[in-house]
Amino acid sequence: MYDSDQRKIVSVLCHGSIFFSTTLVAIGIPVAALFLSTDPVVKDNAKEAINFHFNVWLYGIIIAVLAFVTLGALGLILGPILFLFHWGLPILGIVQILNNPDQAYRYPFIFRVF
C-alpha cells in the first residue's frame, strides 16, 4: 500500500509545477517524480504533467506562428484561450487529485507522447 498523503503531495507538485514557469526547469519536477517514485499513480500523474507541458509549448508555438502570419489577429483570439488552457486545466487537475488521490488525472484536449 502506498502513502496517500505522499501520493497527493507529489502528484499535486507534478501538475502544479507549470505555475513555476513553462521552461525546462518546471518540467524537472514531474521528470524527477517519474524516475524516483515507485507509486504507479504518481508515475501516471508525472507522465500526464510532462505531456501537458509539451502540449502547452506546442500550442504556444502554433499560436505565435499564426499570430505572426495574421499580423496579430489570431493571436488576440487564440492567446486568451491558451492562457485559460495553460492555467485552468492544471488547477482542475490539482483539485481532482486533492479530492481523489488514488486516481491519476487525465488532461482533456492533449496528445500524449508517453
Side-chain angles (χ1 to χ4, degrees):
M1 194 70 179
Y2 296 98
D3 182 16
S4 179
D5 289 334
Q6 182 180 3
R7 172 182 281 176
K8 193 183 296 187
I9 290 169
V10 176
S11 294
V12 165
L13 277 173
C14 287
H15 291 288
S17 68
I18 200 155
F19 297 121
F20 297 126
S21 69
T22 55
T23 62
L24 293 174
V25 174
I27 204 167
I29 293 171
V31 168
L34 179 64
F35 289 117
L36 297 177
S37 178
T38 58
D39 187 336
V41 174
V42 170
K43 285 183 172 283
D44 287 343
N45 278 312
K47 288 178 189 176
E48 195 69 7
I50 293 167
N51 284 324
F52 184 71
H53 275 81
F54 288 147
N55 277 264
V56 167
W57 293 339
L58 177 67
Y59 293 151
I61 290 168
I62 291 170
I63 289 171
V65 169
L66 289 173
F68 180 77
V69 170
T70 62
L71 301 175
L74 280 178
L76 289 174
I77 297 167
L78 297 175
I81 294 171
L82 179 64
F83 181 80
L84 290 174
F85 178 79
H86 176 262
W87 291 94
L89 291 179
I91 291 171
L92 181 63
I94 290 169
V95 169
Q96 292 288 333
I97 289 168
L98 292 175
N99 289 331
N100 186 6
D102 297 328
Q103 184 177 1
Y105 177 70
R106 302 277 291 178
Y107 286 102
F109 314 118
I110 68 168
F111 67 91
R112 288 164 179 85
V113 178
F114 298 107

